[in-house]
Amino acid sequence: MIRTIRKRRMAVAMSLAIAVAVPAHAQDDVMTPIATPAQPNAIVLDTGPLPGATAAESWHSQYKSVFARNVTVATLTPFLPDPAKATGAAVVVAPGGGFRALSMENEGWDVARALAAKGVAAFVLKYRLNQTPADMPGFERSMREMFSGVAARPPRPAPADAMAALAPQIADSRAAFALIRKRAGEWKVDTDRIGMVGFSAGAMLTLATTVAGQDAKPAFIGNIYGPLSAMPAPADAPPMFVALAADDPFFANGGFGLIESWKTAKRPVEFHLYEQGGHGFGMYQKATTSTGWFDAFTRWLDMHGMLKPKA
């Protein structure tokens, strides 16, 4: 019963942000369709095709980066460190995009490469997405409507329905953890040192995986400009790193209840609130101090023993 209540409260927090977790400047930048990039190392997960999907996966460029949308089949792409530098720790990387797109480069591949350079095995999760119009003009129109408020907002879903809406993504996350553990020997990963870091919607998926991922059980988590609504922390909640900009238009004005939840449960939590940075800064090099989040994150990983081989 307690577990069910936790799931429902978590669902409420996620439902508040599920439709707005894309970069704040999305409405004023050109989206240019591109060919699907080669992804030779991507491994198809065993969660199957998205039920009822009709639009095929497509890609576009924006902000000098690349994005995927209408993802119907989940994949996991390994970025393995030099064996001489490998620490045995691993991270599942979940890009954001409001469950309508995935910032595959800025919040995925670039993050994974940087982690691998630190000796941490990184795995970019391309999880299944809510369907959007197949044509780019239709997609752009839907995004403009979402940000302008023209589109009618559906009633807020009941907590159980909100959690159910993330069922495909949670299944993809669980499958990612299962695959890494299955091939841990091959990839030189310690099965008890696999964490997860997510951005915006990916941060929501990271929290959902923590409370409802059953066998996933991340050893540590990173919430990068995701929601901070209060929720009861699980008794065995993993150490959590949080980074948010104070001028984030989506998540900076709702309080910091999630931080208090972890503190109340006496679970480890580190919180960085940057004065500026907006939403979606990821690995972009900006003049704001938010650019330092990755260095802070890796120092935090080091503090928790993840940047050195297990004794």
Side-chain angles (χ1 to χ4, degrees):
M1 177 62 71
I2 292 175
R3 185 78 169 177
T4 299
I5 293 172
R6 285 173 176 166
K7 288 181 181 179
R8 288 180 176 176
R9 290 180 180 175
M10 177 65 189
V12 171
M14 292 188 296
S15 68
L16 294 175
I18 195 168
V20 293
V22 291
H25 46 287
Q27 70 271 39
D28 60 11
D29 199 278
V30 176
M31 302 177 191
T32 304
I34 61 172
T36 300
Q39 301 162 80
N41 298 325
I43 302 168
V44 175
L45 295 174
D46 62 1
T47 49
L50 184 70
T54 57
E57 180 178 314
S58 61
W59 291 67
H60 63 272
S61 63
Q62 193 178 17
Y63 325 123
K64 299 180 181 179
S65 189
V66 300
F67 297 75
R69 62 189 184 91
N70 289 329
V71 174
T72 61
V73 175
T75 67
L76 191 70
T77 300
F79 288 77
L80 302 178
D82 181 335
K85 296 178 62 176
T87 71
V91 179
V92 175
V93 180
F99 299 103
R100 298 161 64 92
L102 290 176
S103 179
M104 291 298 296
E105 191 168 13
N106 179 50
E107 297 173 352
W109 302 331
D110 287 349
V111 176
R113 292 187 187 101
L115 285 168
K118 296 288 187 180
V120 177
F123 300 85
V124 177
L125 176 60
K126 186 175 74 174
Y127 51 89
R128 292 171 291 173
L129 297 173
N130 297 334
Q131 291 266 283
T132 59
D135 63 297
M136 182 56 73
F139 177 63
E140 291 177 323
R141 183 169 56 252
S142 72
M143 296 297 285
R144 285 195 301 270
E145 289 174 347
M146 183 180 74
F147 279 98
S148 67
V150 171
R153 299 289 189 197
R156 185 177 300 168
D161 293 338
M163 184 61 73
L166 286 184
Q169 291 80 24
I170 295 171
D172 295 341
S173 182
R174 289 181 61 196
F177 276 85
L179 179 63
I180 296 168
R181 290 189 172 110
K182 180 179 179 180
R183 299 180 63 174
E186 173 189 350
W187 288 331
K188 311 301 181 188
V189 167
D190 295 333
T191 56
D192 58 351
R193 294 203 295 161
I194 305 170
M196 186 171 184
V197 61
F199 301 79
S200 194
M204 285 187 269
L205 178 55
T206 298
L207 290 170
T209 300
T210 300
V211 300
Q214 299 178 27
D215 51 354
K217 297 189 179 302
F220 55 88
I221 57 175
N223 176 343
I224 313 302
Y225 43 82
L228 298 182
S229 301
M231 56 163 279
D236 59 349
M240 178 172 63
F241 177 94
V242 179
L244 182 72
D247 60 352
D248 187 304
F250 301 129
F251 301 128
N253 299 312
F256 310 120
L258 186 67
I259 309 303
E260 293 300 326
S261 298
W262 248 245
K263 288 181 63 181
T264 298
K266 295 181 169 50
R267 301 305 299 155
V269 59
E270 180 158 331
F271 178 32
H272 294 255
L273 181 65
Y274 296 101
E275 178 185 341
Q276 298 178 39
H279 189 77
F281 47 82
M283 298 298 281
Y284 292 130
Q285 295 301 299
K286 304 178 70 172
T288 59
T289 54
S290 59
T291 296
W293 79 267
F294 183 79
D295 288 338
F297 179 58
T298 54
R299 287 196 297 272
W300 180 78
L301 289 177
D302 191 24
M303 182 176 71
H304 283 276
M306 299 300 165
L307 295 191
K308 57 182 70 70
K310 186 167 59 176

